[in-house]
Amino acid sequence: MESCKLSKALMRRLPLYLTHLKSLPGEDRNVSATSIANALGLGDVQVRKDLAKISNAGLRRVGRSRDQLIHDIEAYLGFASQSGTIIIGAGKLGQTLLDYGGFETSGLNVLAAFDLHPVADRSASGKAIYPMSLLESFCKHNNVHVGIIAVPPESAQSVCDRLIACGIRAIWNFAPVPLTVPSHVIVQNEDLAASLATLCLHMQHRQKKLEIV
Amino acid sequence: MESCKLSKALMRRLPLYLTHLKSLPGEDRNVSATSIANALGLGDVQVRKDLAKISNAGLRRVGRSRDQLIHDIEAYLGFASQSGTIIIGAGKLGQTLLDYGGFETSGLNVLAAFDLHPVADRSASGKAIYPMSLLESFCKHNNVHVGIIAVPPESAQSVCDRLIACGIRAIWNFAPVPLTVPSHVIVQNEDLAASLATLCLHMQHRQKKLEIV
């Protein structure tokens, strides 16, 4: 478990395993990788490898303890939930992210959004939207380590700088501009237009046998 | 240009180049890769490689023709815009995508959204939201090849099947469930919770020297 590779694909599958395991009838005390794989339409080997990465419960032929597996997956995902996350920019995209149910299902901790001029002080799901002037004190008093940037491109770098000054160590950037950050800060870029364009080109180039990476 | 690799990172940079080139004063007829790199905070070699991939304008020391470069980048991105795209699910996420300005800036063609029970017939930016009953005839009469799935997970597979029956060849899936598709259909999964969880874990595991892939 110590030397595991963490892949985004694994992080996609873990919540699926969790939902499936929790949906099983109470009398199913043990589960096999094969039964999970069959139920979710995944490969046997894949499921076996995934579970070996996140759980020490062993690979017995009789199957693993379902409760132990649920516990191990939750503990693993819970690791992520220790990272308090805030969103900067409470426009349509920012509010969609603030109210995105999938984060909570995965145990992720999106605390609030901030905006220069909040149009409301709560989102549709009741999460707080604060004015930017409160950013520094909020970060100081809460355990905030991750910032999501959902502002227009021209404001992204200055928001980024301000987040880093607040102690943010990881940034998920939805603005389609490159950000300059010090080496201790991780940036994950999410450019929706680039994603769609890549998919479109991928499809159209397929027949032309161009290699897409 | 024929044997190029298309990367998502390249698709992120092309709109940046375009915006920069268009922002230059009219008398700048030639631009060098170095000047573009400096203006955008990118590496020289990177810009040179990118431009070589998408343009045959050559690599002269005096620089490339700005107009030719703008033309080549637009033609390249325009390739993607030939793929009419629709969104299934006009909830908060679907409407965010429908009104996402970045798609149009990149020349992408998001035509409309569909919903079982549309709450309005237009989005905030004026794009059409149709009832699902019109899906088949819309796809038949428009050049639709790409579908974005923004419905709850339990409906995702049935929506996917229906899109494929309509002739859709590429699917961008925002529902956090795996989709089963025939081999001629491309699926690109976008699990926002998995993305955020991966970022959080990446940050936390960094000091533990676990390898993140």
Side-chain angles (χ1 to χ4, degrees):
Chain A
M1 194 172 158
E2 269 67 40
S3 65
C4 65
K5 287 187 175 188
L6 305 174
S7 76
K8 194 164 158 183
L10 172 63
M11 296 308 296
R12 282 179 64 84
R13 289 188 296 268
L14 289 181
L16 302 179
Y17 297 153
L18 200 55
T19 308
H20 170 65
L21 290 169
K22 287 185 173 175
S23 76
L24 293 174
E27 59 268 26
D28 286 358
R29 296 234 180 118
N30 284 314
V31 287
S32 68
T34 312
S35 70
I36 299 175
N38 290 344
L40 296 172
L42 297 168
D44 232 56
V45 176
Q46 182 72 77
V47 174
R48 220 172 286 276
K49 276 189 187 169
D50 286 351
L51 298 184
K53 273 179 192 165
I54 55 102
S55 171
N56 289 318
L59 263 167
R60 292 181 295 273
R61 282 228 169 257
V62 295
R64 294 154 178 275
S65 151
R66 181 180 68 139
D67 290 346
Q68 183 65 43
L69 263 185
I70 290 177
H71 172 270
D72 288 347
I73 296 175
E74 283 185 335
Y76 195 84
L77 291 173
F79 205 41
S81 76
Q82 294 162 19
S83 314
T85 298
I86 56 169
I87 298 169
I88 312 297
K92 198 171 289 198
L93 176 61
Q95 288 203 44
T96 297
L97 294 168
L98 189 57
D99 287 338
Y100 182 64
F103 293 146
E104 293 194 351
T105 314
S106 299
L108 294 161
N109 201 9
V110 179
L111 302 169
F114 291 81
D115 201 280
L116 264 187
H117 308 288
V119 289
D121 58 2
R122 298 265 157 200
S123 71
S125 74
K127 291 222 173 171
I129 303 173
Y130 297 116
M132 281 298 278
S133 55
L134 297 181
L135 179 66
E136 281 74 13
S137 69
F138 185 91
C139 290
K140 194 173 168 184
H141 295 105
N142 295 275
N143 194 26
V144 182
H145 293 302
V146 181
I148 301 179
I149 295 183
V151 299
E154 58 274 20
S155 320
Q157 184 64 54
S158 63
V159 161
C160 171
D161 296 343
R162 208 164 146 186
L163 285 172
I164 293 167
C166 290
I168 293 283
R169 289 185 290 138
I171 288 171
W172 192 11
N173 177 32
F174 280 81
V177 285
L179 297 174
T180 306
V181 298
S183 61
H184 72 282
V185 175
I186 299 170
V187 175
Q188 183 168 291
N189 289 303
E190 191 80 40
D191 185 331
L192 297 171
S195 294
L196 179 54
T198 310
L199 176 65
C200 294
L201 285 165
H202 193 149
M203 178 187 73
Q204 295 187 336
H205 282 223
R206 213 179 211 198
Q207 290 155 310
K208 305 195 175 190
K209 300 197 192 309
L210 288 182
E211 187 187 358
I212 316 269
V213 289
Chain B
M1 196 172 158
E2 268 67 38
S3 64
C4 67
K5 288 188 173 187
L6 305 173
S7 76
K8 194 164 158 185
L10 172 63
M11 296 307 296
R12 282 179 64 84
R13 289 189 296 267
L14 289 182
L16 301 181
Y17 297 153
L18 201 55
T19 309
H20 170 64
L21 291 169
K22 286 184 173 175
S23 75
L24 293 174
E27 59 268 25
D28 286 358
R29 296 233 178 117
N30 285 312
V31 288
S32 68
T34 311
S35 70
I36 299 175
N38 290 344
L40 297 172
L42 297 169
D44 231 57
V45 176
Q46 182 72 78
V47 174
R48 221 171 286 275
K49 277 188 186 168
D50 286 350
L51 298 184
K53 273 180 191 163
I54 55 101
S55 171
N56 289 318
L59 264 167
R60 293 182 294 274
R61 282 227 167 259
V62 295
R64 294 153 177 275
S65 151
R66 181 179 69 138
D67 290 346
Q68 184 63 45
L69 263 186
I70 290 177
H71 172 271
D72 288 347
I73 296 175
E74 283 185 336
Y76 194 84
L77 292 173
F79 204 41
S81 76
Q82 294 163 21
S83 315
T85 299
I86 54 169
I87 298 168
I88 312 297
K92 196 171 291 197
L93 176 61
Q95 288 203 43
T96 297
L97 294 169
L98 189 58
D99 287 338
Y100 182 65
F103 294 146
E104 293 195 350
T105 314
S106 300
L108 295 160
N109 203 8
V110 178
L111 302 169
F114 292 81
D115 200 280
L116 265 187
H117 309 289
V119 289
D121 58 2
R122 298 265 158 201
S123 71
S125 73
K127 291 221 171 170
I129 303 173
Y130 297 115
M132 281 298 279
S133 54
L134 296 181
L135 179 66
E136 281 74 12
S137 70
F138 185 92
C139 289
K140 194 172 168 185
H141 295 104
N142 295 276
N143 193 27
V144 182
H145 294 302
V146 181
I148 301 179
I149 296 184
V151 300
E154 58 274 18
S155 321
Q157 184 64 54
S158 64
V159 161
C160 171
D161 296 343
R162 206 163 149 189
L163 285 172
I164 292 167
C166 289
I168 293 281
R169 292 185 287 136
I171 288 170
W172 192 11
N173 177 32
F174 279 81
V177 286
L179 297 174
T180 306
V181 298
S183 61
H184 72 283
V185 175
I186 299 170
V187 175
Q188 182 168 292
N189 289 303
E190 192 80 41
D191 185 332
L192 297 171
S195 294
L196 179 53
T198 311
L199 176 65
C200 293
L201 285 165
H202 193 150
M203 178 187 72
Q204 295 187 335
H205 282 224
R206 212 179 213 197
Q207 290 154 311
K208 304 194 177 193
K209 301 197 192 307
L210 289 182
E211 188 186 355
I212 316 270
V213 290

